[in-house]
Amino acid sequence: MTNTTTSNIIDAQGGGDDMYKVRERRESLGLTQEELAKRAGISRQTIIAIESDMEVPTSTTTLIRLAKSLMCKVSDIFIV
């Protein structure tokens, strides 16, 4: 069973553009970073960090919220 409060580290350093598809998915839906942040209930700074391939401590809940806001599965936007 997955604990949705467990902290995860998203680390895309060295992963290049193929590591995460958040920006690509967001743009395909015509959303701004601010709109996505509001939909997902997370900060715009978190969106910026993820899209900039920065190391971002986050929770499983945040990953799920982000995927739902982008109308996809977590595995569609993050390599898991």
Side-chain angles (χ1 to χ4, degrees), residues 14-77:
D17 292 335
D18 295 328
M19 183 64 85
Y20 302 142
K21 303 291 185 185
V22 175
R23 177 181 290 138
E24 179 181 305
R25 181 70 180 164
R26 175 181 62 76
E27 289 177 347
S28 75
L29 294 172
L31 297 172
T32 65
Q33 290 175 334
E34 186 66 31
E35 290 167 332
L36 177 56
K38 285 180 183 177
R39 278 187 180 194
I42 61 178
S43 73
R44 182 169 173 258
Q45 292 303 319
T46 298
I47 303 293
I48 291 168
I50 291 169
E51 290 186 355
S52 299
D53 292 339
M54 296 173 67
E55 189 174 290
V56 183
T58 191
S59 68
T60 303
T61 301
T62 298
L63 299 178
I64 293 168
R65 287 171 144 187
L66 191 54
K68 284 183 178 181
S69 297
L70 291 168
M71 298 181 285
C72 63
K73 296 181 287 186
V74 172
S75 60
D76 293 335
I77 53 174

